[in-house]
Amino acid sequence: PHFLFNTLNSAIALVRAEPAKAEAILEDLSDLFRHALVEQGESATLGEEILLARRYLDIEQVRFGERLRVRWLLDARADGARLPPLLLQPLVENAVKHGIEPSPTGGRVRVATELRGSRVVVTITNTLPAAPVADSAARGHGIALANVRDRLRLLHDVQCDFSAGPQGPQNSRHYQVRISLPARP
């Protein structure tokens, strides 16, 4: 619900000053919800999931402006890998919520895909705020990560690897989610 309200407020703020940008936000939001509300099959392609993640981050880009810097490193050869539907969006949402939003200077989100032999590796990396977040709600409880892990295991069983956690030295820490799965079902 917070994402919906934030998106609508961003669009409202742009209606008079930048109507084309407001329209683009609402179209992205419409596409996200259309996809979320359609009966989902048991899997989607990585390429489809990347498109949804892009729409989500485009919306957040309007909200955060220069505070959110996104980098895409995508290997088109990985696009056919199968994932549970709506798997990447909560991961990029977590990156924004826990990495960008609490930092006064913002930060970076990087989404990378790579075909490595018979495996596809997906990484979502975000910078972390310089000061630790004290609020436990802002830190999160790991529910989305557990959900993603469980859904991946249901689709790929033991053929899937999932890890998530902080990386790097204390002064330049970042958070990384890494998924490794079969390139072909």
Side-chain angles (χ1 to χ4, degrees), residues 38-53:
V38 167
E39 185 177 325
Q40 301 293 324
E42 78 174 41
S43 69
T45 66
L46 177 58
E48 293 166 337
E49 288 295 298
I50 290 292
L51 285 175
L52 287 174

Side-chain angles (χ1 to χ4, degrees), residues 48 53 57 74-75 80 87 93 126 135 144-145 161 163-164 166 177 183:
E48 293 166 337
L57 287 172
L74 304 176
D75 183 344
L87 190 90
E93 184 174 351
N126 61 274
D135 179 14
L145 294 175
D161 295 317
S163 62
V177 173

Side-chain angles (χ1 to χ4, degrees), residues 119 153 156-161 180-182 184-185:
R119 313 254 331 142
R153 296 247 190 265
H156 291 292
D157 197 21
V158 295
Q159 297 175 345
C160 178
D161 295 317
S180 173
L181 58 140
R184 302 282 178 250

Side-chain angles (χ1 to χ4, degrees), residues 71-85:
R71 185 169 181 210
W72 298 91
L73 300 168
L74 304 176
D75 183 344
R77 299 172 304 159
D79 285 353
R82 304 302 292 186
L83 296 171

Side-chain angles (χ1 to χ4, degrees), residues 94-140:
N94 269 359
V96 171
K97 180 179 169 84
H98 300 295
I100 309 309
E101 193 170 349
S103 175
T105 58
R108 294 178 309 280
V109 174
R110 183 183 67 134
V111 180
T113 63
E114 182 181 5
L115 178 64
R116 292 185 189 166
S118 64
R119 313 254 331 142
V120 167
V121 177
V122 179
T123 56
I124 299 168
T125 309
N126 61 274
T127 53
L128 291 171
V133 177
D135 179 14
S136 67
R139 277 196 318 266

